[in-house]
Amino acid sequence: MKTYLSLLWIAAICLCVSGCSNYRELNQIGVIIGLGIDENKNSEEPYKVTYQIINPSGLSQGSSSGGQGLPVINYTVTAKTLVEALKKASIVIPREHITSHLSLIIIGEKLARNELSLLFDALDRGKQARTSIPVFIARDGTAEKLLGVIEPFEVTPVKSILSTSQNNQKMYGIVSNVQAYEVISMLLSEGKDLSLPGISINKPSQKAEEAGNLENTSPSAMQVKGLAMFRKGKLVRWLDGDEARSVQLVTSEAKSTALVFPCSINENITVTATGIKSQMKTAIRHRQPFIHTDLNVMGEITETTCQKDLSNPKVLKELEKEVQKELQKEITKTIRIVQKEKTDIFGFGDSLSRTNPSYWRQHKQNWENLFSSAKISMNVNVSIVNTGMRTNPYEVN
């Protein structure tokens, strides 16, 4: 019994000693949730870095205790390197700042057009750094401006950008989130070039960075804007609309999308695709790379103005063929653009390195030229599994 009591006392003492030795209140630290990196005009300090930090007082607004200020505060410094910028931020940030809750990285378009190759070295090298952080490009602007927008729906600009991009991937499939470790992998890869989602400000105005933006029924807000294509670590071109979506379809990144195609003059049919699967196949024919892609799309008719009998299986088969034809045309157009830019954002080179390793070892240094002239074929299969709650559109007299 005495032994048992002694063990209980020892356990209690250990809990008291070790319980809260590293505990700190939120208002004692600066929690960095967003990081923006822009090009600085001064070549001696080439980086302008913006840190978005949680303001605990602002977050508590609306509670019984009240609150002061906005939910986030942005601090911007210039430096020679990103590590120096983090240390240098102590000049303006009044609390010890930590990056363990960093949720987003935005890179200004001007900087992205110069080169990103070594930009992520500090993130990958740091002992406490995380690489599972989404990366975006600030299109037609700067990361500093984007992080300064006072958002109407979300508490912080960081949350708004993440929510908007995730919602787009789920609903329309123009872009998909790319984590920092994937960026590093693609920058180092010899068989796949980097592509990153673009973010910009919809309806930019002087009030975008003020609380007054919340008082507008049509406020400035974040919007997904295209897919940035990179070659050798440099941004070379943007893909928009159907072109950007084609990349997501070929790489199976799109979760769902609306495919709108004409069925006659001034009449369209909308197929909502929910099952999207793609498979790449590579081979060597006559000493040249040959690339084939199979794309399978399953969907349902969700809107139509076409006067067609959708209860007739033959009519549905004809519609499937029309959708396949138009979808193949869109994707082929995108592939030709990508080949022209000599940037393999699809990862065809990675696929070839696995199926023909000996050929790849001999020709990987010249892959961008081989890819630009490679023969590429595509097979698109569309299955319409449902026509919705009615078979035919109503007629207006």
Side-chain angles (χ1 to χ4, degrees):
M1 187 67 180
K2 289 183 179 180
T3 305
Y4 179 72
L5 290 173
S6 298
L7 289 173
L8 283 177
W9 274 109
I10 292 171
I13 291 170
C14 287
L15 286 173
C16 290
V17 171
S18 62
C20 302
S21 59
N22 293 321
Y23 177 78
R24 287 181 293 177
E25 292 285 351
L26 185 61
N27 59 10
Q28 295 176 331
I29 55 177
V31 180
I32 298 174
I33 60 170
L35 173 64
I37 312 171
D38 291 305
E39 182 185 68
N40 188 31
K41 293 180 180 179
N42 185 355
S43 59
E44 293 184 2
E45 291 185 334
Y47 298 114
K48 178 187 283 189
V49 185
T50 302
Y51 299 99
Q52 185 157 107
I53 297 180
I54 288 290
N55 176 17
S57 297
L59 284 176
S60 65
Q61 284 188 3
S63 66
S64 58
S65 60
Q68 296 179 351
L70 297 171
V72 291
I73 302 171
N74 291 349
Y75 294 95
T76 301
V77 296
T78 58
K80 295 177 182 178
T81 67
L82 297 186
V83 172
E84 183 190 34
L86 183 62
K87 299 295 183 181
K88 197 174 179 180
S90 61
I91 296 173
V92 291
I93 301 176
R95 299 172 184 170
E96 179 186 351
H97 42 283
I98 60 173
T99 59
S100 56
H101 289 76
L102 182 62
S103 304
L104 175 74
I105 298 174
I106 306 177
I107 300 169
E109 180 174 348
K110 202 169 182 180
L111 179 61
R113 289 191 179 276
N114 287 337
E115 192 168 1
L116 300 186
S117 295
L118 298 177
L119 196 61
F120 293 86
D121 181 82
L123 193 67
D124 197 31
R125 190 182 298 273
K127 294 179 181 179
Q128 298 179 346
R130 293 187 304 111
T131 55
S132 56
I133 306 167
V135 181
F136 297 87
I137 302 298
R139 186 170 183 179
D140 302 324
T142 65
E144 183 182 14
K145 279 287 184 183
L146 277 175
L147 288 174
V149 176
I150 305 301
E151 265 292 321
F153 264 109
E154 300 292 355
V155 178
T156 68
V158 167
K159 183 66 170 66
S160 178
I161 292 171
L162 291 175
S163 298
T164 301
S165 60
Q166 289 167 358
N167 191 44
N168 173 268
Q169 182 178 8
K170 181 181 178 182
M171 300 296 293
Y172 195 49
I174 293 294
V175 299
S176 60
N177 285 359
V178 181
Q179 309 292 320
Y181 70 86
E182 295 176 296
V183 175
I184 296 169
S185 176
M186 284 185 274
L187 286 172
L188 296 174
S189 174
E190 295 172 313
K192 185 174 184 179
D193 287 297
L194 175 65
S195 61
L196 287 173
I199 293 288
S200 68
I201 303 173
N202 180 27
K203 299 178 182 178
S205 69
Q206 293 181 346
K207 290 186 176 181
E209 300 178 48
E210 301 174 4
N213 190 45
L214 304 179
E215 300 173 358
N216 193 336
T217 56
S218 183
S220 298
M222 304 297 181
Q223 68 173 356
V224 173
K225 195 173 183 182
L227 187 68
M229 295 168 48
F230 288 78
R231 183 174 68 243
K232 295 181 178 180
K234 296 182 180 181
L235 195 162
V236 293
R237 180 169 178 159
W238 287 95
L239 294 176
D240 290 297
D242 294 341
E243 295 170 359
R245 184 178 62 182
S246 293
V247 177
Q248 307 304 311
L249 291 173
V250 172
T251 56
S252 299
E253 292 291 343
K255 306 300 180 185
S256 177
T257 191
L259 305 171
V260 182
F261 301 104
C263 51
S264 60
I265 299 175
N266 297 325
E267 293 182 340
N268 295 301
I269 183 168
T270 303
V271 176
T272 297
T274 53
I276 302 168
K277 291 184 180 179
S278 177
Q279 185 179 13
M280 301 178 192
K281 297 178 182 178
T282 55
I284 303 301
R285 296 181 181 177
H286 306 293
R287 298 183 180 180
Q288 294 295 320
F290 178 82
I291 300 166
H292 179 77
T293 299
D294 283 312
L295 176 63
N296 295 299
V297 177
M298 185 181 295
E300 60 181 20
I301 296 175
T302 50
E303 183 179 358
T304 180
T305 56
C306 305
Q307 300 301 320
K308 292 180 179 294
D309 182 10
L310 299 181
S311 63
N312 188 337
K314 291 184 178 179
V315 173
L316 286 181
K317 286 295 180 184
E318 290 174 0
L319 287 175
E320 287 176 348
K321 290 180 180 179
E322 286 299 317
V323 174
Q324 288 170 184
K325 180 181 177 181
E326 293 295 325
L327 195 54
Q328 187 161 351
K329 187 188 300 183
E330 285 183 7
I331 296 174
T332 300
K333 176 186 175 184
T334 302
I335 291 176
R336 285 175 179 168
I337 291 172
V338 173
Q339 284 185 296
K340 182 180 178 182
E341 296 292 343
K342 297 184 178 181
T343 170
D344 182 8
I345 59 176
F346 297 103
F348 291 137
D350 272 348
S351 177
L352 185 63
S353 68
R354 292 190 295 271
T355 56
N356 295 272
S358 59
Y359 179 90
W360 178 254
R361 283 193 295 270
Q362 294 175 23
H363 300 88
K364 62 182 180 180
Q365 299 299 330
N366 192 37
W367 174 240
E368 64 177 34
N369 292 318
L370 289 172
F371 167 68
S372 67
S373 59
K375 299 294 182 182
I376 297 180
S377 67
M378 169 163 287
N379 177 53
V380 179
N381 180 51
V382 176
S383 298
I384 298 176
V385 296
N386 200 332
T387 60
M389 297 298 291
R390 56 185 299 132
T391 53
N392 298 314
Y394 54 83
E395 295 184 10
V396 180
N397 295 325

